[in-house]
Amino acid sequence: MSELEFFGHIIDNEEVESIDGKRFDVWNPYTREVWAQAAEGSAQDADRAITSARTAFDEGPWPRMGRNERAKMIHKLADLMEERTTEIATLDTKNMAKPFEQAKHDVARSVWNFRFFADHQRDHVGEVYPMDSGHHTYSEFGPAGVVAAISPWNFPLMMASWKIAPAIAWGNTCIIKPSEDTPSSVTYLGRLAVEAGFPPGVLNVLNGYGHPAGSSITGDDRVDRVTFTGSSTTGKMVMASAATHLAPVSLELGGKGANIVFEDADIDNAVYWAVEAIFRNAGQICLAGSRLFVHSSIYDDFMAKFKAAAEALPIGDPFDPNVKFAGALASKRHFEKVVSYVEGAKDLGGHFHTGGVATDGSWSVTPTIIDGLALDAAPYCEEIFGPVCIVNKFETEEEAVHLANDTRYGLNAMLFTENLSRAHRVASNLRAGTVWVNCFFIRDLRTPFGGVGDSGVGREGGNFSREFFTEPKAVVMQIRR
Ligand code: NAD
């Protein structure tokens, strides 16, 4: 046991065990071995973390310091992250079998989250309205208070940084509860914040399970904002818990992304992105293009190329630089869930063009492409969160839009066409938080990010994050009598 790494809670700038000394095992899903342990937070540990964040907000320097100074500290943290890219990426790769090259890319994206929001709060412009009555009114964006942030395991560092960065940039203090499946990189981030000289209590990391650790921070009335990324089912519980003390919530939830390939698409480009959209990160992406709609006139050609590209993906050791896709799934529990959908698709008469095989004793499923399923079949309607693409043909644009929108989710959609008018028209008609045209996964942090329906509540990004993580105030000033 002694050689296992340990990830404690980071509370008040100290890395600590749980009060009751409880720990849980951290698995490497590729080797299927326990490689670390993490502190298992209880309600008492959550209380410690909230007290720390509350005191830091009510009495500490962070919300009171100048915007420039705060930005500098956040950039210092980003510098340290950049320096330790290899170490951090190694943690995410060990923790969820994320291909190492991709894990390094995730660190770079996380660094950018911190740099972007540090600058965004420093440089933001307020509004002043001169009024006919002889007053000026202006908007002030003061910090909201203590932020409870809860993140999932699929992009362990990146999803957490997407929440922590705007929260602390706008002068809040934060408690982040990473997924119990992937506690390592976020705890490491907490260590780096201490090293960067953050005042105690600004960034607390609380490890542990959704209940009691997560639910204890969402339900505590000393918490002013709750930002959550995870499944739609958990999101509803989080919202109910935050509602007990009327804390505003931002929920980024599940998806069942539609990917539409029109007859006038550049087929090679569409195939490239269809592969990226469903097999990157082994399909464990909320934005995955898990429902693919292909025009009937190009169906056979497209499917032949898509199948060949899927079968060419190297699967194996995530530290192997050639392995860029479809490594082991993040946990045994998740592997079993994906397999149950694959088996369900077989029982429901799905036609497997490729895949559907659990490989080499590790928790992996080969890249899987299925068509022939009914539109009410569970693998078509529900989020599988694995490397499983369900394909359908369509004949008309109206039909494609109808199929794409016929879901409880509405996180994102993609469309491939060389017809400019069609691109704009269809993008406008799709019921989704993000639409990509002839591409996938490209983000500009100034734009809104979030989902419709079961995919979430609210938007984050740029000024949308500012609205959520601050308490906007109108000040009215008499200028002349
Ligand atoms: P999950 O809902 O099981 O868990 C997410 C987090 O919530 C974990 O940290 C977990 O410990 C915590 N949690 C569980 N129960 C809780 C409770 N009662 N109170 C407070 N916290 C609780 O999700 P997951 O399996 O970790 O992640 C996969 C899901 O996340 C997928 O549905 C995926 O689509 C979604 N996701 C969405 C986005 C997005 O931006 N919309 C991004 C990534 C992942």
Side-chain angles (χ1 to χ4, degrees):
M1 277 307 205
S2 57
E3 74 276 12
L4 295 179
E5 288 188 47
F6 176 66
F7 298 95
H9 310 295
I10 311 258
I11 299 176
D12 252 349
N13 278 4
E14 301 284 338
E15 185 158 353
V16 294
E17 292 267 7
S18 290
I19 291 170
D20 61 11
K22 270 188 160 178
R23 295 174 167 201
F24 62 91
D25 288 339
V26 182
W27 288 78
N28 176 330
Y30 179 68
T31 62
R32 287 170 299 147
E33 285 164 357
V34 173
W35 65 281
Q37 289 193 319
E40 183 180 329
S42 63
Q44 288 71 34
D45 298 304
D47 179 66
R48 273 200 296 180
I50 298 167
T51 303
S52 162
R54 192 71 255 171
T55 307
F57 186 81
D58 292 341
E59 298 164 23
W62 191 255
R64 291 160 192 87
M65 85 181 31
R67 291 172 188 281
N68 215 5
E69 200 184 342
R70 211 158 51 217
K72 264 193 198 158
M73 275 208 177
I74 296 174
H75 277 293
K76 175 84 198 303
L77 173 63
D79 292 342
L80 290 174
M81 290 168 73
E82 239 161 22
E83 277 170 27
R84 313 284 167 79
T85 295
T86 304
E87 289 86 337
I88 305 174
T90 300
L91 294 176
D92 271 356
T93 296
K94 275 192 188 170
N95 213 165
M96 65 152 297
K98 185 183 286 282
F100 187 54
E101 295 305 312
Q102 192 194 314
K104 284 195 282 190
H105 177 74
D106 287 5
V107 177
R109 285 274 298 256
S110 306
V111 166
W112 179 238
N113 284 342
F114 282 105
R115 295 202 189 286
F116 172 86
F117 284 110
D119 294 350
H120 185 252
Q121 67 86 30
R122 188 193 54 206
D123 300 337
H124 91 107
V125 178
E127 298 151 346
V128 183
Y129 297 102
M131 298 168 69
D132 288 350
S133 57
H135 301 81
H136 274 181
T137 184
Y138 63 90
S139 321
E140 191 189 83
F141 295 93
V146 172
V147 172
I150 298 187
S151 54
W153 48 259
N154 61 333
F155 287 86
L157 181 74
M158 197 164 94
M159 287 291 116
S161 68
W162 172 242
K163 304 184 165 308
I164 298 166
I168 62 172
W170 284 102
N172 302 289
T173 58
C174 182
I175 305 141
I176 174 82
K177 208 294 284 170
S179 167
E180 58 273 28
D181 289 325
T182 52
S184 61
S185 55
V186 176
T187 308
Y188 194 94
L189 177 72
R191 293 173 188 163
L192 290 186
V194 178
E195 202 178 322
F198 277 37
V202 171
L203 177 58
N204 296 287
V205 179
L206 177 70
N207 277 309
Y209 293 96
H211 184 74
S215 54
S216 297
I217 57 173
T218 57
D220 193 297
D221 65 7
R222 292 170 293 168
V223 165
D224 302 288
R225 292 288 184 277
V226 174
T227 173
F228 170 83
T229 300
S231 64
S232 305
T233 308
T234 311
K236 288 172 191 167
M237 288 195 271
V238 166
M239 192 166 184
S241 168
T244 59
H245 54 110
L246 292 180
V249 292
S250 169
L251 304 177
E252 296 182 347
L253 309 178
K256 194 77 185 176
N259 183 2
I260 308 174
V261 184
F262 287 100
E263 64 277 24
D264 54 16
D266 171 340
I267 293 195
D268 290 337
N269 184 51
V271 167
Y272 174 82
W273 286 114
V275 168
E276 283 279 324
I278 189 62
F279 301 129
R280 183 194 276 222
N281 212 37
Q284 301 165 122
I285 304 191
C286 52
L287 302 159
S290 49
R291 293 179 306 141
L292 176 62
F293 303 104
V294 182
H295 192 268
S296 60
S297 66
I298 56 164
Y299 196 80
D300 293 342
D301 187 18
F302 181 92
M303 289 299 272
K305 288 182 170 168
F306 186 34
K307 173 178 180 319
E311 288 176 352
L313 293 173
I315 300 172
D317 183 347
F319 281 105
D320 177 342
N322 295 316
V323 171
K324 294 201 171 58
F325 296 89
L329 297 166
S331 66
K332 183 167 190 285
R333 181 172 35 92
H334 188 57
F335 167 73
E336 287 167 356
K337 176 185 157 189
V338 173
V339 167
S340 79
Y341 277 110
V342 168
E343 294 306 320
K346 288 177 185 163
D347 295 342
L348 292 164
H351 170 63
F352 282 63
H353 286 256
T354 188
V357 180
T359 50
D360 76 347
S362 77
W363 296 328
S364 341
V365 171
T366 49
T368 300
I369 302 173
I370 309 170
D371 65 8
L373 282 175
L375 296 182
D376 61 354
Y380 173 77
C381 301
E382 295 169 14
E383 185 183 45
I384 300 176
F385 219 55
V388 182
C389 188
I390 317 282
V391 197
N392 277 286
K393 276 182 202 172
F394 69 89
E395 301 294 339
T396 65
E397 183 182 306
E398 292 69 27
E399 186 191 2
V401 170
H402 172 76
L403 285 166
N405 287 343
D406 189 19
T407 169
R408 292 192 60 78
Y409 294 108
L411 191 57
N412 63 296
M414 286 148 269
L415 67 103
F416 291 84
T417 178
E418 295 296 300
N419 177 328
L420 192 61
S421 304
R422 168 178 271 165
H424 287 294
R425 188 170 58 241
V426 174
S428 166
N429 287 335
L430 288 169
R431 186 179 158 273
T434 301
V435 176
W436 281 289
V437 180
N438 295 336
C439 61
F440 170 66
F441 216 56
I442 315 292
R443 278 272 294 128
D444 184 316
L445 301 187
R446 293 169 293 190
T447 57
F449 182 81
V452 179
D454 275 7
S455 288
V457 172
R459 297 289 184 274
E460 293 191 30
N463 284 345
F464 299 89
S465 295
R466 180 185 69 180
E467 311 306 313
F468 182 71
F469 289 109
T470 62
E471 205 62 85
K473 180 187 289 173
V475 180
V476 183
M477 179 93 194
Q478 181 168 300
I479 302 297
R480 45 168 218 277
R481 285 179 198 277

